[in-house]
């Protein structure tokens, strides 16, 4: 090839690469249940940590592990991957100190309505119970699974068994592994066998409806590595459960683990040719919780002040860099679904109303 052609070819490669980076080919959606924006942005709350009712008899452990007088250092101690990597390469919304507001659009502020809002882009007021039957709406995951590019490349793992209904497993045909569902089908691989056995024998602090996050995470990682889904959802649940129990130490430890696991997911993604530089992550929560002032931090629901206040973060191709957002805006949870679809270069359509995407997340 002559020099001129080399140059043209080289420019073509740069352009192709650039265009490529504007859109994600794969998406990993991660939620951690009922995790407060207060800890996301301010780290450990010393008033809760010092209250003997909430520190499980050992405040020195959490102070040693998560405390710093400096707010920025403190939140980094709780969520190091979030504040080092996502903050540098992606975007983080919901710090109300800057009037950067993200809210539930649904009026209930508990889980099924929240997850349904995330997954359908619609705050349907008829969905008003955690016992609600299978979701009547076509979720984003079901829609994506109907697109030729993503057909049979969508899967979900959730610690809570309600995801079978929230994602309407039966109608959608999506693989939904929730609570104590075994993994690996009829021929589980070696690790899957071990995960299944340990899960069955494990302590069940939340009864039969929800397993410990560690099982959901390890099962999800096996699936991610073996099946390479293009659209993958992982839902962790312990943050909400420990908060309800008033176990602040466990709530913080659960958060710290989720942060570590997102790092593990990202490290894998960036080491795998199918995923590397082609995969975005979207991380959020289903609802907020109350505050320490009325000792309501343990709870959520429409009778709990401010429990509609949430947050979200995104990183990867298609996401504009910009870190922590500090402008006065108001976004809603029902905008997430279309934002995720747009990251993949698609427009999510269904029979129900779908709120528009959050444009400032997108790099184009
Ligand atoms: Zn809850």
């Amino acid at each position: 090839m002559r020099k001129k052609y080399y140059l043209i070819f080289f420019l073509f490669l740069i352009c192709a690469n650039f265009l490529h980076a504007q859109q994600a080919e794969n998406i990993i959606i991660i939620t951690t249940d009922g995790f407060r924006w207060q800890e996301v942005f301010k780290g450990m709350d010393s008033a809760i940590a010092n209250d003997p009712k909430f520190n499980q008899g050992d405040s020195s452990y959490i102070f040693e592990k998560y405390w710093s007088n400096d707010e920025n250092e403190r939140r980094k101690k709780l969520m190091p991957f979030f504040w080092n990597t996502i903050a540098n390469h992606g975007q983080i919304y919901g710090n109300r100190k800057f009037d950067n507001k993200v809210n539930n659009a649904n009026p209930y502020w508990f889980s099924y309505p929240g997850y349904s809002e995330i997954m359908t882009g619609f705050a349907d007021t008829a969905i008003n119970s955690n016992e609600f039957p299978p979701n009547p709406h076509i979720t984003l995951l079901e829609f994506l699974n109907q697109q030729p590019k993503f057909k049979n490349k969508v899967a979900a793992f959730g610690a809570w068994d309600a995801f079978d209904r929230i994602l309407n497993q039966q109608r959608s045909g999506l693989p939904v592994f929730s609570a104590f569902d075994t993994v690996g089908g009829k021929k589980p691989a070696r690790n899957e066998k071990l995960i299944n056995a340990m899960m069955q024998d494990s302590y069940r602090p939340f009864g039969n409806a929800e397993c410990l996050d560690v099982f959901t995470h390890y099962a999800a990682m096996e699936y991610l590595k073996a099946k390479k889904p293009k659209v993958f959802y992982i839902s962790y649940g312990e943050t909400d459960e420990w908060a309800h129990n008033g176990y602040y130490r466990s709530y913080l430890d659960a958060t710290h683990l989720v942060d570590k696991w997102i790092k593990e997911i990202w490290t894998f993604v960036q080491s795998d040719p199918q995923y590397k530089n082609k995969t975005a992550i979207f991380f959020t929560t289903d609802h907020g919780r109350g505050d320490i002032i009325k000792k309501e931090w343990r709870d959520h629901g429409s009778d709990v002040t401010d429990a509609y206040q949430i947050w979200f973060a995104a990183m990867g191709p298609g996401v504009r860099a910009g870190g922590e957002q500090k402008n006065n805006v108001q976004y809603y949870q029902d905008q997430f679904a279309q934002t995720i679809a747009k990251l993949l270069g698609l427009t999510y359509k269904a029979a129900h109303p779908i709120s528009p995407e959050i444009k400032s997340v997108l790099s184009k």
Side-chain angles (χ1 to χ4, degrees), residues 216-229:
T216 302
H217 176 72
Y218 276 80
M221 283 308 290
E222 289 303 309
Y223 192 95
L224 183 67
K225 288 173 185 173
K227 298 269 170 50
K228 306 275 180 79

Side-chain angles (χ1 to χ4, degrees), residues 25-29 140-141 144-145 150 153-156 223 228-233 275 340 344:
E25 288 182 23
N26 316 286
I27 184 93
I28 300 177
I29 305 163
L140 173 68
L141 299 190
L144 290 172
N145 197 46
F150 298 104
K153 289 178 179 133
V154 183
Y223 192 95
K228 306 275 180 79
K230 292 178 82 64
V231 178
F232 200 42
Y233 175 42
Y275 289 120
I340 293 166
L344 294 167

Side-chain angles (χ1 to χ4, degrees), residues 32-37 39-40 79 239 251 255 285 287 311:
T32 189
D33 199 297
F35 183 52
R36 305 190 319 149
W37 69 268
E39 276 85 15
V40 173
M79 303 171 81
T239 39
Y251 170 81
T255 304
T285 193
H287 53 74
W311 54 272

Side-chain angles (χ1 to χ4, degrees), residues 136-152:
H137 306 298
I138 306 281
T139 66
L140 173 68
L141 299 190
E142 188 172 351
F143 167 83
L144 290 172
N145 197 46
Q146 291 165 355
Q147 309 308 306
K149 211 171 150 186
F150 298 104
K151 184 92 199 144
N152 299 326

